Amino acid sequence: MEPTRSAGRLTGIGVYRPGGLLTSAELDTRFGREAGWIEQITGIRTRLKAGPDDTFVEMAAQAADKALAHAGLASDAVDCVLFSSASSVGQEACRAASLAHRIGATRAGGFDLDGGCAGFSYGLALASGLIAAGQARQVLVVAAERLSDITDPTDCETVMIFGDAAGAAVVSAAEHGGISPAVWGTHGVGAPWMTGAPPKPGAEHSSYLHMDGTRVIRWFGSRMPQVARAALDAAELTWDDVRAFVPHQCNGRLIDLMVRRLRLPPRVAVARSIVTDGNTSSASIPLALERLLATGTAQPGDKALLLGFGAGLTWCAQVVELP
């Protein structure tokens, strides 16, 4: 008789939203745009901005503590910590280790990952795989971003999009899983469309984020609806089984484009936390999940289709059952 294998399921979600905000109205003034122009083309009213004390590890710890509390799990029960960030500019060797120490996950293994804006979805897939392989029973997946560190304040195309935040999820072993197989992929040809750019004279950082926004929107807008459908097929579900669609909160216009192409039934709620959070890269999906649950738009036990995509280019989609 073969041993019974556990499967992974989400048991907790937690987020940290820093107190700073950058409004689209401020940016309209900064870049000499008509009032309302930036919100109209991005779907973003405000973006979260980290303060001096909002380090990667501290933001991640705040989100992790809330996710553990939601799951009813003590930190010393965590077997592995996965730390996603696409905006790290420091030299710290392993932020997962620092986070494990900060929250008291004293026996956890851990490692960092960078899947671009798809990093959180990649983390869920890896956590589920670790549990299925018998390597862990409790995995903490955390995404923390300080995009303001690598965004040129004089570049309208990037500064009008990005924000700072952290999100976390607990993935626990269960008899019946709640995370479907991942549909993922890469398109390295598109790497130059979202990359670091040489700094301007007097810049604070060695490299700022550069984005060819038109090309990125065009490519993801044509490709990601197919990935979403493939994720449903991998889960052996249809839109009739799903309560929420949670794409990476990249740009309001791109989310609208995907929704039109997917022809979602009216009963499927579409996450739009981008309106107040901005694009927080790999942290955007846990922030959007938390907002859906906090507002009652989705309920525990509902199924949600997650679709992460971004720099690399990378993508990863899966259906999850909400905690």
Side-chain angles (χ1 to χ4, degrees):
M1 181 183 231
E2 291 188 4
T4 302
R5 290 290 188 186
S6 296
R9 67 183 303 109
L10 280 178
T11 56
I13 292 285
V15 304
Y16 175 73
R17 291 181 169 92
L21 288 177
L22 177 61
T23 70
S24 288
E26 292 175 76
L27 293 176
D28 285 331
T29 300
R30 180 189 301 181
F31 293 106
R33 306 292 186 176
E34 293 183 7
W37 183 83
I38 286 178
E39 182 174 352
Q40 180 181 353
I41 68 167
T42 64
I44 301 170
R45 186 176 308 126
T46 59
R47 316 138 186 78
L48 300 169
K49 291 299 173 185
D53 295 331
D54 292 321
T55 66
F56 282 99
V57 171
E58 185 58 33
M59 291 196 300
Q62 295 290 335
D65 285 344
K66 292 175 185 175
L68 290 168
H70 187 195
L73 190 71
S75 59
D76 61 4
V78 174
D79 298 305
C80 190
V81 175
L82 308 183
F83 195 119
S84 169
S85 181
S87 57
S88 170
V89 295
Q91 300 300 315
E92 190 169 350
C94 182
R95 285 193 165 88
S98 297
L99 175 61
H101 174 72
R102 166 67 177 76
I103 65 174
T106 54
R107 65 182 189 83
F111 56 92
D112 297 350
L113 62 96
D114 179 1
C117 298
F120 179 79
S121 294
Y122 270 88
L124 293 184
L126 291 172
S128 186
L130 288 170
I131 289 170
Q135 286 291 122
R137 292 191 61 80
Q138 305 288 350
V139 181
L140 179 65
V141 181
V142 181
E145 305 286 4
R146 284 183 54 103
L147 288 146
S148 57
D149 288 344
I150 57 172
T151 302
D152 182 349
T154 67
D155 176 17
C156 184
E157 186 154 343
T158 53
V159 76
M160 70 180 180
I161 295 291
F162 295 109
D164 308 326
V170 176
V171 181
S172 302
E175 184 177 351
H176 301 290
I179 301 175
S180 74
V183 173
W184 55 18
T186 61
H187 183 67
V189 174
W193 304 345
M194 297 180 69
T195 187
K200 296 181 179 180
E204 293 183 24
H205 302 289
S206 60
S207 180
Y208 279 133
L209 177 67
H210 168 75
M211 181 176 65
D212 186 340
T214 300
R215 204 163 187 179
V216 167
I217 287 176
R218 185 178 300 142
W219 195 89
F220 280 124
S222 64
R223 185 74 179 90
M224 289 306 100
Q226 302 168 41
V227 174
R229 295 186 189 101
L232 282 178
D233 291 342
E236 299 181 344
L237 299 172
T238 71
W239 285 117
D240 291 336
D241 304 304
V242 173
R243 178 68 184 91
F245 175 48
V246 188
H248 164 47
Q249 301 294 289
C250 51
N251 177 295
R253 288 196 302 168
L254 182 51
I255 293 173
D256 291 341
L257 175 62
M258 287 191 292
V259 168
R260 289 195 300 271
R261 291 186 173 177
L262 286 169
R263 298 180 180 178
L264 298 182
R267 64 175 296 278
V268 176
V270 179
R272 295 186 186 277
S273 60
I274 188 171
V275 175
T276 53
D277 296 344
N279 179 338
T280 57
S281 191
S282 66
S284 80
I285 285 180
L287 264 67
L289 285 174
E290 185 271 346
R291 182 64 55 80
L292 288 174
L293 289 167
T295 59
T297 306
Q299 301 293 327
D302 286 346
K303 292 181 173 63
L305 172 58
L306 314 185
L307 176 58
F309 52 88
L313 301 174
T314 64
W315 62 89
C316 181
Q318 65 262 98
V319 177
V320 303
E321 188 171 305
L322 299 180

